[in-house]
Amino acid sequence: MQRTNENLIAVAGATGQQGGAVVRALQASSQFKVRALTRNPGKHRELAEEVVEADFDRPESLKAAMEGAHGVFLVTNFWEGGTNELKQATAAVRAAKDAGVKHFVWSTLPDVDAISGGKFHVPHFTGKAKIDRIVKEAGFAHHTFVIGPFYYQNLVGTVAPQKQADGSVGWTLPLDPDVRCIHMGDISELGNIVAGAFAHPDEAGNGEYLPLAGDFMSFNEIVDTLNRQGHKFSLKQVPSKIFATFFPGAAEVAEMFGYFQAHTYLGSDSRDRIALANKIAGRQPTKFSTWARLNIPFQTPRQKM
Ligand SMILES: NC(=O)c1ccc[n+]([C@@H]2O[C@H](COP(=O)([O-])OP(=O)(O)OC[C@H]3O[C@@H](n4cnc5c(N)ncnc54)[C@H](OP(=O)(O)O)[C@@H]3O)[C@@H](O)[C@H]2O)c1
């Protein structure tokens, strides 16, 4: 039996949004020691007390990354070119198991294929859900599934408002804007749930699903919230088939919005899971209006002299 350091947690994606949030929450709790994992430890020495090289495409690099760790947080990045999430996660689970890790936390998403009966294909969701069974069957003493929401941060990133043909600034989306279907959240708060799960394995380490959800909104409600804060964003609905021609990869985004509209982001009534996640995090997540006021500030146009 390998010896593990009872409070050492190895965190994948530590230089990114999810893993970074987990590093900060674990450090703030002062109950845990963090081992930040990255492909480029030399560039990120300041991240944590221990910064160790791990490349999920090079399984041989994972032994040292997992050695002696009590817990592991794993997120894979679908959007990085060439990523095979199943292969990477399988390598990580195997390395963690071999190293004697006791508690494995996997950042998953709903199984869109199963929920929609094969109607919608959203590989960055379903591909993660398919990994759940591998985590479960690995036989860790404890395992937990966390579910990232539609990041509020998307609205200042990949889904930022854009100049429209009519001169307005806003969104053109393949989504009925009146349907309340988007479970959203400030991804920097995911760490509170993960740190809580490591701290409370009896309550959250038996295969529980813990979604982060600060708000549950329709796109009209998102736009109304922003416009009440001074913005003048527009919103237009287009058929999925037309949206799919807008940019490379738009077809998958259209499928994702189609799934949201038909089944919601989380795919089922998740109030009990959200309540448990908030309890484990020890706090309520931030509402969209509060986050937006700070992060999408409206600047009053300068008065002409
Ligand atoms: N945007 C959303 O609304 C949303 C919602 C739910 C889930 N997600 C999922 O979130 C995931 C991305 O997470 P994020 O937002 O935290 O990403 P991010 O901020 O872009 O960071 C990606 C992280 O992945 C690490 N990484 C990538 N390839 C790696 C490899 N081969 N070996 C080791 N580490 C690797 C990078 O580490 P280094 O570069 O330091 O090695 C980096 O820390 C995606 O799979 C996406 O589907 C997104």
Side-chain angles (χ1 to χ4, degrees):
M1 204 56 181
Q2 292 92 334
R3 300 252 323 259
T4 62
N5 178 341
E6 253 186 41
N7 58 8
L8 177 65
I9 310 291
V11 180
T15 58
Q17 301 192 80
Q18 294 201 20
V22 172
V23 167
R24 288 185 292 277
L26 290 169
Q27 287 170 333
S29 83
S30 68
Q31 189 180 338
F32 298 101
K33 209 172 136 222
V34 175
R35 176 185 289 162
L37 305 183
T38 168
R39 286 165 294 181
N40 302 296
K43 279 198 204 157
H44 301 287
R45 288 278 166 233
E46 75 300 340
L47 269 181
E49 231 172 289
E50 273 189 54
V51 182
V52 171
E53 181 179 356
D55 181 345
F56 295 106
D57 287 328
R58 289 194 305 111
E60 68 279 10
S61 72
L62 302 181
K63 189 167 185 281
M66 304 290 179
E67 202 80 77
H70 165 80
V72 168
F73 168 77
L74 179 69
V75 59
T76 50
N77 187 9
F78 176 89
W79 300 107
E80 180 155 327
T83 293
N84 179 331
E85 293 189 288
L86 179 62
K87 220 169 150 190
Q88 290 189 352
T90 302
V93 166
R94 190 163 300 146
K97 196 64 191 135
D98 288 350
V101 164
K102 302 287 186 295
H103 192 163
F104 197 94
V105 178
W106 160 236
S107 180
T108 190
L109 282 173
D111 187 336
V112 171
D113 275 11
I115 292 166
S116 71
K119 183 162 181 239
F120 296 103
H121 298 289
V122 187
H124 68 283
F125 273 59
T126 301
K128 289 189 181 65
K130 299 290 182 218
I131 292 158
D132 296 6
R133 198 165 60 91
I134 293 165
V135 173
K136 189 173 166 206
E137 291 179 355
F140 294 104
H142 294 286
H143 69 282
T144 306
F145 302 110
V146 293
I147 304 180
F150 181 87
Y151 305 175
Y152 295 154
Q153 283 83 350
N154 292 342
L155 298 170
V156 290
T158 50
V159 193
Q162 294 190 5
K163 188 103 184 217
Q164 303 294 307
D166 64 4
S168 67
V169 175
W171 293 270
T172 299
L173 293 173
L175 175 75
D176 180 342
D178 283 326
V179 177
R180 187 176 284 166
C181 60
I182 309 176
H183 294 93
M184 312 169 70
D186 174 356
I187 195 59
S188 74
E189 295 177 335
L190 185 76
N192 301 328
I193 298 175
V194 176
F198 282 124
H200 302 286
D202 292 344
E203 269 182 284
N206 309 293
E208 282 78 3
Y209 281 81
L210 304 177
L212 168 66
D215 237 320
F216 182 51
M217 302 176 92
S218 69
F219 223 93
N220 267 340
E221 288 172 325
I222 293 171
V223 174
D224 289 349
T225 301
L226 293 168
N227 288 353
R228 272 198 303 275
Q229 294 179 9
H231 298 281
K232 289 195 167 53
F233 292 130
S234 62
L235 179 59
K236 192 174 154 214
Q237 183 179 3
V238 281
S240 292
K241 279 205 176 110
I242 293 179
F243 183 88
T245 64
F246 284 178
F247 53 91
E252 183 179 341
V253 177
E255 287 275 305
M256 181 185 79
F257 280 114
Y259 158 73
F260 290 177
Q261 185 176 314
H263 299 281
T264 79
Y265 180 102
L266 288 175
S268 59
D269 181 353
S270 298
R271 281 172 290 190
D272 289 350
R273 288 176 168 185
I274 294 169
L276 178 62
N278 295 346
K279 180 172 175 241
I280 294 299
R283 70 193 78 189
Q284 293 297 312
T286 302
K287 290 275 180 202
F288 177 62
S289 59
T290 308
W291 183 89
R293 202 165 281 123
L294 287 172
N295 294 282
I296 314 181
F298 173 70
Q299 267 129 16
T300 321
R302 286 214 182 142
Q303 298 288 326
K304 284 208 176 109
M305 296 294 275

